[in-house]
Amino acid sequence: MSEQPGGTGSGSGPVRPHKPKPFAPIDFEPFAGGADPARVSEAAHLAAQALVRRGRESDDPEITRRLVRLADEQGLDAIAEMWAESPARSLPGALWRLYALRAATRSDPERISVYFKAGKDTAQVSHAVAGVAEPPGADELTTMADAILSGAFDGEFDVALERSAAFCRVVALGQAKLADSAEWGNAQHATKLTRNAHQLVKTAEDLEASAKAWRRGQLD
């Protein structure tokens, strides 16, 4: 769809904005990396640019903390309304995935730690890039999620994206391994884990592409 929010299409009435899909953090499905709608509102881009600029121009750690906790204070639904429909490989799309990753991890760190532990020994390089402390338990993953999002504002934005991508890859590999072991006992659960793993790999690819675009000065 090429129409902007609030505009008119080829019909006689106004185009109604598409409502974002609900966020289900327990399954890592909100930032699953499927095809994003082609329509991106100007407001989403302006908000993303302003947020990143505010964080990167300030040396005040309190500003960074407030930006990291934006979804906690405003509600993740509000973040979704701004950015969840943006293309994955755009600044608002990348920010949405960073916030969704943090929310998913903080929502159920025990479960995510199970996935991470299952994948970390095989995906050793991604494990190192993600920067999760040992042992990778619930507390370590929660700390990592905050640190990655903080790095988007007070560090290198492309590094924050790559750390998120690496984390997604480790978790996806863990989900795939657990799916293999669960296949005979619980086929439905195994199928769901496999689907989520594929979605996370796509998310990792989008985050990595966004990091490259940022370094070229082309992520907007």
Side-chain angles (χ1 to χ4, degrees), residues 183-206:
E183 184 174 1
W184 297 108
N186 189 336
Q188 184 176 3
H189 180 57
T191 299
K192 183 176 183 179
L193 283 176
T194 300
R195 183 183 70 245
N196 288 353
H198 289 162
Q199 291 172 331
L200 271 180
V201 170
K202 178 61 169 64
T203 296
E205 293 170 350
D206 289 333

Side-chain angles (χ1 to χ4, degrees), residues 94-178:
L95 274 176
W96 163 242
R97 282 153 179 77
L98 291 180
Y99 276 103
L101 172 66
R102 176 180 179 270
T105 303
R106 293 181 66 88
S107 175
D108 194 353
E110 291 82 8
R111 177 178 296 193
I112 305 310
S113 70
V114 171
Y115 299 151
F116 192 90
K117 289 174 183 176
K120 76 180 184 68
D121 291 336
T122 302
Q124 293 181 2
V125 174
S126 291
H127 176 207
V129 173
V132 180
E134 292 287 354
D139 291 342
E140 288 74 24
L141 292 183
T142 301
T143 299
M144 178 227 61
D146 284 355
I148 287 178
L149 188 51
S150 294
F153 302 116
D154 63 11
E156 299 298 328
F157 191 75
D158 56 330
V159 173
L161 296 178
E162 289 173 336
R163 288 185 67 189
S164 295
F167 182 70
C168 288
R169 289 190 179 278
V170 177
V171 172
L173 183 57
Q175 288 178 328
K177 289 178 67 175
L178 291 173

Side-chain angles (χ1 to χ4, degrees), residues 41-76:
S41 72
E42 181 181 4
H45 285 269
L46 292 175
Q49 292 164 4
L51 201 69
V52 172
R53 183 171 60 250
R54 182 183 183 192
R56 298 181 66 79
E57 289 179 351
S58 174
D59 294 327
D60 186 352
E62 180 57 29
I63 295 294
T64 300
R65 283 193 291 270
R66 288 173 59 188
L67 292 174
V68 168
R69 297 171 185 166
L70 181 66
D72 300 340
E73 297 173 357
Q74 301 296 325
L76 199 66

Side-chain angles (χ1 to χ4, degrees), residues 1-5 36-46 82-93 220:
M1 181 180 294
S2 61
E3 294 87 350
Q4 297 296 321
D36 289 295
R39 174 178 55 82
V40 182
S41 72
E42 181 181 4
H45 285 269
L46 292 175
M82 282 196 297
W83 295 329
E85 293 186 64
S86 299
R89 302 183 182 189
S90 68
L91 182 59
D220 55 17

